[in-house]
Amino acid sequence: ACAEAQLACGNNDGAIISANAVNVHGRCLNDKLSAKYTIYTALYTQGKIEYACHKAICVLDELGIRLPSLETQIESAPVRSELIKTEKLMMSLRSEDLVTRPMSEDCGKSSSFIMKFLFSLCHIVYVTKPDFFPLVVFRMVQITLERPITSEASFAFATYSNILCKFGLRD
């Protein structure tokens, strides 16, 4: 709470110091997620965008979401593979299955933070690394289809639709 208050007041360095204390003394990853997100936000706010993205990708990796590093040259094959995986997941569910899925607030922290980090990454990579953007969006949709619903789900589906149109796969 102290780190988040410092961040809200514009004291990014203080927020990072306070949040790092939680990272050092937290008992498990779930205890540290808010602090890690605060550090990410403070770094981003300071203009340390590449470092912030690296931190976000590391946290996602800890949460079991594998993304290549931003330095990786993204080829079309992995993007196509993720698209196919996403399409298969979409086809395996009925709309009723999605509508009745629980909200993440009712099921724990990790799904919510996964989507928060991915959502934030989307905004950055859309401008800085556009070939990386579809991978992040596809992961957001996959997670939405596999886990509890978060507030970022509507963004994930809208952006996914936009990407499908851009690739000429939908009207």
Side-chain angles (χ1 to χ4, degrees):
C2 177
E4 289 173 357
Q6 289 175 318
L7 183 66
C9 292
N11 183 0
N12 294 316
D13 291 329
I16 291 170
I17 291 167
S18 297
N20 272 330
V22 175
N23 278 335
V24 170
H25 299 289
R27 294 186 182 137
C28 65
L29 182 58
N30 270 345
D31 290 348
K32 301 174 185 182
L33 286 172
S34 291
K36 288 180 181 288
Y37 192 75
T38 300
I39 291 169
Y40 162 81
T41 305
L43 290 168
Y44 176 79
T45 304
Q46 290 176 327
K48 299 174 181 174
I49 295 170
E50 198 169 301
Y51 187 52
C53 287
H54 172 72
K55 288 281 196 189
I57 290 171
C58 288
V59 173
L60 288 165
D61 192 59
E62 287 181 81
L63 291 166
I65 307 303
R66 309 286 181 256
L67 289 171
S69 73
L70 288 178
E71 294 80 34
T72 304
Q73 182 67 15
I74 304 298
E75 303 294 331
S76 63
V79 173
R80 203 172 315 116
S81 173
E82 289 299 316
L83 172 61
I84 291 167
K85 180 179 177 183
T86 307
E87 288 283 284
K88 284 181 181 177
L89 275 170
M90 291 284 280
M91 289 180 189
S92 71
L93 291 174
R94 300 171 303 141
S95 9
E96 297 82 31
D97 298 332
L98 195 56
V99 172
T100 58
R101 192 171 299 266
M103 294 296 290
S104 69
E105 298 82 44
D106 305 329
C107 300
K109 261 180 153 176
S110 64
S111 289
S112 179
F113 274 98
I114 288 169
M115 291 297 277
K116 275 184 167 186
F117 277 107
L118 288 170
F119 181 73
S120 295
L121 274 176
C122 272
H123 289 78
I124 296 169
V125 299
Y126 180 78
V127 174
T128 62
K129 186 105 169 136
D131 54 334
F132 198 83
F133 181 70
L135 289 177
V136 179
V137 172
F138 296 160
R139 291 293 168 83
M140 287 184 78
V141 172
Q142 292 166 12
I143 289 161
T144 300
L145 296 172
E146 296 171 340
R147 298 178 185 215
I149 301 291
T150 68
S151 59
E152 295 84 6
S154 58
F155 170 84
F157 284 118
T159 308
Y160 177 68
S161 297
N162 185 281
I163 290 170
L164 292 178
C165 292
K166 182 179 174 188
F167 286 166
L169 300 170
R170 301 287 191 281
D171 291 336

